[in-house]
Amino acid sequence: MLAARRLLSSLDMANESLTAGPRSASSEERDLFLLMLVHDIRTPLASIAGLLEHARELNHELNRGGAGCPASAEQDELLGLAQGETRHLLDLTGDLLEMGRLRGAPVPLEPAPVADLDDLVHQAVLDALGHRPAANVRVQIDPRARSLTADRTLLRRILANLLRNAGRHAGEGGTIRLEVAVSGDDVIFSVEDDGPGIPAGSGDSIFRPFVRMGGAAGGRSGGSGLGLAFCKAAVAEHGGRIWVEEGEAGGGRLRFSLPLGGPV
């Protein structure tokens, strides 16, 4: 756990370096080097996250089967904490890489048909919330949306960022609703939670880099303030738009539209 906190501190320092003022040629080289390091860190972190997930599953199976080594509540809590720390590190490395893209050239697009939209949405849920999400996730997809053309990698990342944000606000036992609908020539994606809601007066400011939303479950703000900024940039590159609304249950609702026929 201490090693994870030290790594988190190092990544926070990298974040500060990447978000400093005007860059010289030497600082650009340093930023590039830092981004390469961050990219390399993600692979072992992802492996650790997978191993922790597997360890928790084994503990639960032993506990259910009465195999003589029942998982104690303390063991599960410690594994859960380690899992949370690892996901936090993965989120931060992803945000740092996204920031590098935001500060560089426009987000490059590789549009392709998204016929397996259901699977892409499922993968985004796993990316954001893991195999055992604390919140209940409900998904509804309009069959017409499966003819969407978009950059699959960026779409998955956009959805994962929005779902991760909703998960922080819904908290344990909360509900997240992901709906995909078709309106005219656009596909409308909607991610809603039943948490405390978007702070009054936030508006489009939540899509600016380093702006963190308050009102997370348990008093946590979470995130690095880069995920939603990346979403806005990636959606804009597709020729779409993103906006915030108050959800039906009083929580927050983030929506974005993409042209059904592909980027324009």
Side-chain angles (χ1 to χ4, degrees):
M1 190 70 70
L2 179 60
R5 293 190 181 279
R6 287 175 177 170
L7 179 55
L8 180 58
S9 176
S10 298
L11 289 170
D12 280 331
M13 292 175 62
N15 193 3
E16 292 176 4
S17 173
L18 287 169
T19 58
R23 299 174 296 168
S24 62
S26 60
S27 65
E28 288 182 356
E29 292 178 358
R30 179 194 61 197
D31 288 354
L32 178 59
F33 177 68
L34 286 172
L35 287 172
M36 291 173 63
L37 286 178
V38 170
H39 184 274
D40 289 342
I41 287 171
R42 283 186 63 82
T43 299
L45 280 178
S47 298
I48 293 170
L51 290 171
L52 288 171
E53 181 75 26
H54 184 57
R56 291 193 78 185
E57 290 289 345
L58 286 177
N59 266 340
H60 290 136
E61 288 178 9
L62 289 171
N63 193 34
R64 288 193 298 267
C69 297
S72 68
E74 183 179 3
Q75 287 175 327
D76 192 63
E77 181 181 3
L78 290 174
L79 285 170
L81 288 172
Q83 201 173 17
E85 292 280 353
T86 305
R87 285 178 181 166
H88 188 182
L89 291 171
L90 278 170
D91 292 347
L92 183 54
T93 55
D95 287 344
L96 285 169
L97 291 173
E98 288 172 354
M99 189 58 206
R101 299 174 78 174
L102 283 171
R103 295 188 64 178
V107 181
L109 296 181
E110 297 180 2
V114 192
D116 57 342
L117 182 59
D118 300 69
D119 183 61
L120 186 146
V121 167
H122 176 67
Q123 291 301 320
V125 172
L126 293 180
D127 293 343
L129 305 172
H131 291 271
R132 300 176 64 88
N136 302 307
V137 183
R138 300 176 181 176
V139 178
Q140 182 176 344
I141 300 177
D142 186 328
R144 295 174 297 170
R146 298 186 180 104
S147 60
L148 171 69
T149 294
D151 185 303
R152 298 171 53 84
T153 301
L154 290 183
L155 177 57
R156 177 172 167 177
R157 185 68 181 175
I158 293 167
L159 290 172
N161 277 338
L162 297 184
L163 288 163
R164 190 176 296 117
N165 177 77
R168 282 195 293 266
H169 288 77
E172 187 170 355
T175 299
I176 298 171
R177 295 177 178 82
L178 193 163
E179 297 182 359
V180 186
V182 174
S183 177
D185 295 329
D186 293 330
V187 178
I188 310 295
F189 293 82
S190 174
V191 178
E192 179 180 348
D193 63 73
D194 59 358
I198 307 294
S202 297
D204 289 341
S205 66
I206 65 172
F207 300 110
R208 297 173 187 164
F210 317 117
V211 173
R212 301 188 185 190
M213 295 172 61
R220 304 183 306 270
S221 60
S224 63
L226 295 177
L228 294 182
F230 175 79
C231 289
K232 182 177 181 179
V235 168
E237 286 297 312
H238 279 83
R241 67 186 187 95
I242 187 169
W243 66 97
V244 60
E245 300 176 347
E246 182 178 346
E248 294 180 2
R253 177 194 289 151
L254 291 167
R255 284 183 165 176
F256 68 95
S257 64
L258 298 181
L260 182 62
V264 295

